[in-house]
Amino acid sequence: MVIGAAGWLYLDRSGHLDNAAFAKTPGQDTLSAPFELCSDSHRTNCVVDGDTFWFGSEKTRIADIDTPELSPPRCEAERIKGEAAKSRLLSLLNAGKFSLSAGFRDEDKYGRKLRTVSRAGNSLGDVLIKEGLARSLDGVRHGWCQGL
């Protein structure tokens, strides 16, 4: 009953679910910056790894993907794939204007903003998934060392 009432609260006047209740979807790609790889002294407009970057003063975790760990990687194959994901995210962010969309949660337990990154309505996370550099985030940590 509570779920039904909550769903009713998000109905718009025509009886459709209001998507804004679930994710803020920007109308246009308006964000851009020259990105580089993060270092100990550089934490602005930089890429940390395949699913984390700094944009301005905010650390952002891409909400819809998981990429291989780099700090620390659990095996050499994970490190290699993690470096490839990091490099590809850098090139994707530098390829033009993009949008950031919030979902159900604004931040993770580490204080990173949780955002879907898109360009022309297409998730950059999906690009990384299609290229084999990321997986869809399903709430469970899967290792990258087996089957690589």
Side-chain angles (χ1 to χ4, degrees):
M1 188 164 144
V2 172
I3 294 171
W8 178 81
L9 290 174
Y10 293 113
L11 291 176
D12 67 14
R13 290 184 184 148
S14 63
H16 296 96
L17 282 176
D18 179 5
N19 290 333
F22 299 105
K24 298 173 188 170
T25 307
Q28 294 181 3
D29 298 333
T30 59
L31 306 174
S32 69
F35 283 86
E36 54 190 66
L37 297 177
C38 295
S39 65
D40 290 337
S41 62
H42 179 78
R43 296 286 178 184
T44 303
N45 301 332
C46 63
V47 174
V48 175
D49 60 25
D51 55 27
T52 307
F53 62 96
W54 285 86
F55 183 53
S57 62
E58 284 190 341
K59 192 172 188 180
T60 301
R61 167 73 161 79
I62 300 177
D64 57 345
I65 63 169
D66 181 45
T67 60
E69 293 299 321
L70 288 173
S71 57
R74 291 183 247 345
C75 64
E76 183 63 9
E78 181 174 44
R79 185 193 67 76
I80 291 168
K81 190 165 264 200
E83 290 291 344
K86 178 180 177 178
S87 177
R88 182 64 172 131
L89 178 59
L90 177 66
S91 69
L92 288 169
L93 289 172
N94 281 325
K97 292 185 179 186
F98 59 91
S99 300
L100 297 175
S101 302
F104 292 111
R105 290 184 4 199
D106 186 53
E107 293 183 350
D108 68 7
K109 65 183 179 180
Y110 304 107
R112 299 176 295 188
K113 295 294 182 183
L114 294 172
R115 301 291 184 263
T116 299
V117 185
S118 59
R119 179 174 293 117
N122 299 307
S123 166
L124 299 187
D126 284 346
V127 172
L128 292 168
I129 291 169
K130 288 175 187 167
E131 294 177 0
L133 299 172
R135 295 184 183 133
S136 294
L137 194 60
D138 63 5
V140 178
R141 275 266 196 236
H142 301 282
W144 288 88
C145 294
Q146 296 176 341
L148 286 179

